[in-house]
Amino acid sequence: MHWSPEQDVQPQVVGMKIVRYGVKIRAPHAFVMTFLFKNGSLQDKVRAIIQATYTHSRNLACFVFIYKGLVALQRWLQKRTLQSHSFLAGCVGGWIVFGDNNHINSQINMYLLSRIIFGLVRLAAEKGYIPQTKHDPFPVFATLVWGIVLWLFEYHPHTLQPSLQSSMNYLYHDSNTWHDITDFLIYNKRPLQK
């Protein structure tokens, strides 16, 4: 692949596209999760949504800046493009930006892990390291994912990420109690009566 400096410099300048993408991805998710699972005033909830959106957008923008900068530096130093450039730049950017163990980074890293597993299995089949299946393996995959997550949730919930625990509690435990229509329209979980 032929390298030119314009290829790498121009995307560095358009960081606002990345921030906009982060806002489009995180703000709706933060809004729904905050209003479903968080207690507190409206002001606290809005602050939590803005903070989560800011953190997600900032991390994506920082990562892209570091990644593209390191890929460009490696191309410039070696005067060619190698597959290892992407891997090394991704490792360094991941360590710097997404290495802090917080709820935003945790969600992003787990989201990526699920896609990486799919991608690696497809690549292994494509390269002949594992046999191609005659039937769609997705039903087996779904069976194992749901069986394992519900077993973990019911018997080892502390091993699951807090937001997944909240969702599972809402779906499988809180739904066992029904007071009236306000349970559906207003309350996720009724406040404790004093």
Side-chain angles (χ1 to χ4, degrees):
M1 175 185 281
H2 176 68
W3 173 80
S4 69
E6 298 81 25
Q7 231 177 326
D8 296 316
V9 175
Q10 187 218 3
Q12 297 289 358
V13 180
V14 293
M16 287 308 293
K17 273 181 89 172
I18 297 155
V19 171
R20 192 176 113 233
Y21 175 80
V23 169
K24 283 173 56 175
I25 296 301
R26 176 52 64 171
H29 178 266
F31 178 84
V32 169
M33 297 304 284
T34 298
F35 279 96
L36 272 179
F37 299 116
K38 297 238 190 248
N39 294 321
S41 68
L42 180 61
Q43 184 179 7
D44 291 340
K45 290 178 180 183
V46 169
R47 190 176 298 122
I49 293 166
I50 290 169
Q51 182 61 45
T53 303
Y54 169 77
T55 301
H56 190 139
S57 300
R58 182 200 63 213
N59 287 3
L60 286 175
C62 289
F63 179 82
V64 170
F65 182 81
I66 291 168
Y67 172 78
K68 286 185 163 289
L70 290 175
V71 167
L73 177 64
Q74 291 175 92
R75 282 183 195 153
W76 181 75
L77 290 172
Q78 295 186 322
K79 305 291 186 244
R80 61 188 175 139
T81 300
L82 300 172
Q83 289 186 27
S84 61
H85 293 170
S86 294
F87 179 76
L88 292 173
C91 286
V92 172
W95 178 67
I96 292 170
V97 177
F98 295 109
D100 184 27
N101 190 3
N102 60 55
H103 69 280
I104 301 291
N105 288 348
S106 180
Q107 288 174 347
I108 292 170
N109 288 335
M110 286 189 290
Y111 172 87
L112 288 176
L113 178 61
S114 66
R115 272 106 182 120
I116 288 167
I117 291 169
F118 261 82
L120 288 174
V121 168
R122 286 180 180 145
L123 182 62
E126 185 180 292
K127 298 284 185 181
Y129 301 130
I130 60 173
Q132 293 277 357
T133 60
K134 291 184 173 111
H135 303 288
D136 183 6
F138 195 81
V140 174
F141 164 75
T143 301
L144 291 173
V145 165
W146 284 96
I148 291 168
V149 76
L150 282 156
W151 169 73
L152 285 172
F153 171 68
E154 294 293 355
Y155 296 99
H156 308 282
H158 65 281
T159 63
L160 299 174
Q161 185 198 30
S163 67
L164 179 58
Q165 286 180 41
S166 293
S167 295
M168 300 292 269
N169 270 319
Y170 181 77
L171 293 169
Y172 301 106
H173 291 169
D174 296 348
S175 63
N176 292 338
T177 305
W178 177 265
H179 299 96
D180 55 42
I181 194 69
T182 60
D183 287 346
F184 178 70
L185 298 175
I186 300 171
Y187 300 109
N188 170 43
K189 190 172 188 176
R190 288 207 174 229
L192 295 174
Q193 300 296 326
K194 292 184 180 178

